[in-house]
Amino acid sequence: MTHTHGHDVPPPEYPGPPPPYPGTPTDTAPPYPGTPTGAAPVYPHAPAPPAPPPPAYPEADPAPAVPERPQRHPDEMDFEQRRVHLTARQRGADATAVSRLLVQVPSFLCSLAVVTGFASAFLGSAAWLPVTLWVLSGVLVFHRPTEGFLARRLLRLRAPAPAERARLEPVWREVTARAGVDHQRYELWIEESDAINAYAAAGHIVGVTTFSLNHLPNGQLAAALAHELGHHTGGHAWASLLGRWYATPAELTWRAIRAMSRVAVRVARVISLPATGILVMLFGCGLLAFVAAAWMVVLPMAVAPYLLALVNRRSELRADAHAADLGFAHPLAGVLHTMRAHEEASYAAAGPQARRTGGLAKLLSSHPDYADRLQHLQPYLDGRPPR
């Protein structure tokens, strides 16, 4: 047997390349049957599960509705406290006040004759004392306690309640501040009435109705008070009351004569018709004799009502101008429009016979027509007040 020494014999070469070992990276998976590329099919995604509904929270209470703010009236004004400059002349007597006193001079003379006659009949030579006291009694027009008595007893006014004063005082202070007048110079009073009205009486009384106080915007209320302040500063209020006071004896005497004449005529009718005629003739002759003897007094007294009505109408227009000069022309026009509407409504409710449209009624009217007053206010409304 033969042996080789030194080196081993190399193994024989394997024919061809070695087969790839399964699981190596070069190994590729066989194509998947049924697919063009041999890739694995893409499975559709499964639908996502539905999201859980949100938890039901308890419903919150709805927010309360905000009430709509009422629309402000055009004549509602803002009044602010400010420095007040008082005028040196707080009141006076304009042309209408002087005219009123002159028109009532005949009535004063008749009253003086009546007072003197009665005093002489009862007191003889001492008649001068009651006559003098009567003449001086006119100063009571400016006496505050007497004015309070007149306000309560004759005008049926009352003092304002605290709530009424709280509404009235700021408006009155604004009016007097614009006029340069001391607001404490006058006293505010209330009238229980459903009418739109205000008053200026005696020397220091300013009255307003409850309807005006509770329903008018403060601008219109200020315009009404400014109108009444114009009556005071112009002397219309005290001149009117003074003239009426001094005319009272003559008026009472005239009423007494008329009442006695009516009674005499009725008694004469019961007796006989000729006696009635004789009595009427006697009264007529006596009246003619009196007119002939005192025509200078009687005739002015006959036309005095018409003259007084004319003066009253002029004083109303002057008071309107006073309110307009203080800046209340537009609110005053609103008041006049409202008053005219109320008057038309009252006439419509009362019937056509309630309206007095005759010429004599207009001559005796103490107030101008609303159309006339608005016409005089028009220059102020147009921004060109008359000088």
Side-chain angles (χ1 to χ4, degrees):
M1 171 175 289
T2 303
H3 295 277
T4 59
H5 300 276
H7 296 282
D8 293 333
V9 179
E13 296 179 359
Y14 196 86
Y21 194 81
T24 58
T26 58
D27 189 18
T28 58
Y32 195 87
T35 60
T37 60
V42 178
Y43 292 96
H45 294 287
Y57 294 98
E59 295 184 1
D61 295 335
V66 179
E68 294 185 1
R69 188 175 181 180
Q71 187 176 3
R72 183 172 179 174
H73 194 281
D75 291 332
E76 196 74 24
M77 306 175 70
D78 295 324
F79 299 145
E80 299 180 357
Q81 295 293 331
R82 63 179 185 273
R83 185 183 297 273
V84 179
H85 300 278
L86 300 180
T87 59
R89 186 181 181 185
Q90 295 284 297
R91 71 164 73 205
D94 60 17
T96 55
V98 175
S99 300
R100 184 189 300 273
L101 295 176
L102 292 177
V103 168
Q104 292 183 318
V105 166
S107 299
F108 168 76
L109 295 178
C110 288
S111 295
L112 180 62
V114 170
V115 173
T116 303
F118 275 97
S120 300
F122 290 97
L123 299 177
S125 59
W128 63 271
L129 181 58
V131 173
T132 303
L133 293 177
W134 175 75
V135 172
L136 297 178
S137 64
V139 298
L140 294 176
V141 171
F142 305 98
H143 186 235
R144 291 294 183 96
T146 304
E147 288 184 356
F149 176 82
L150 294 175
R152 290 185 176 90
R153 302 300 179 184
L154 297 183
L155 301 179
R156 304 299 181 185
L157 304 179
R158 61 170 175 81
E164 295 170 334
R165 186 174 293 278
R167 168 162 169 76
L168 196 57
E169 281 286 353
V171 180
W172 178 243
R173 286 176 181 267
E174 176 69 18
V175 171
T176 54
R178 294 191 184 189
V181 174
D182 184 6
H183 71 279
Q184 297 179 349
R185 195 180 185 93
Y186 301 94
E187 295 184 5
L188 300 174
W189 295 82
I190 303 296
E191 181 195 14
E192 294 286 347
S193 175
D194 293 333
I196 302 177
N197 206 352
Y199 303 94
H204 308 90
I205 295 176
V206 177
V208 63
T209 62
T210 51
F211 184 90
S212 302
L213 182 63
N214 297 327
H215 293 85
L216 291 183
N218 63 352
Q220 294 187 5
L221 181 60
L225 295 179
H227 174 95
E228 303 308 326
L229 181 61
H231 283 312
H232 274 301
T233 57
H236 311 158
W238 66 262
S240 175
L241 184 58
L242 194 65
R244 290 179 61 184
W245 173 256
Y246 283 129
T248 299
E251 292 181 359
L252 293 178
T253 303
W254 175 245
R255 291 179 183 178
I257 292 174
R258 291 177 60 185
M260 289 188 295
S261 63
R262 290 194 186 100
V263 172
V265 170
R266 290 177 181 177
V267 172
R269 284 180 179 177
V270 174
I271 298 175
S272 65
L273 185 60
T276 304
I278 294 173
L279 190 60
V280 170
M281 290 179 60
L282 291 176
F283 274 113
C285 292
L287 182 60
L288 290 176
F290 177 74
V291 171
W295 64 271
M296 297 182 64
V297 176
V298 174
L299 290 183
M301 286 187 64
V303 298
Y306 302 96
L307 296 178
L308 282 177
L310 176 61
V311 171
N312 287 334
R313 293 193 294 271
R314 294 299 304 172
S315 67
E316 292 298 323
L317 295 178
R318 284 182 175 270
D320 285 347
H322 178 268
D325 287 333
L326 296 183
F328 298 110
H330 287 275
L332 181 59
V335 174
L336 295 178
H337 282 295
T338 304
M339 294 176 68
R340 180 167 62 178
H342 284 204
E343 184 182 78
E344 295 293 337
S346 63
Y347 283 146
Q353 300 299 327
R355 184 188 297 271
R356 297 185 303 170
T357 58
L360 188 61
K362 289 185 177 180
L363 291 177
L364 290 174
S365 176
S366 61
H367 284 65
D369 294 336
Y370 292 115
D372 191 16
R373 297 177 67 176
L374 290 170
Q375 181 180 358
H376 281 80
L377 278 179
Q378 194 60 46
Y380 296 94
L381 302 177
D382 295 338
R384 46 181 182 86
R387 296 181 179 179

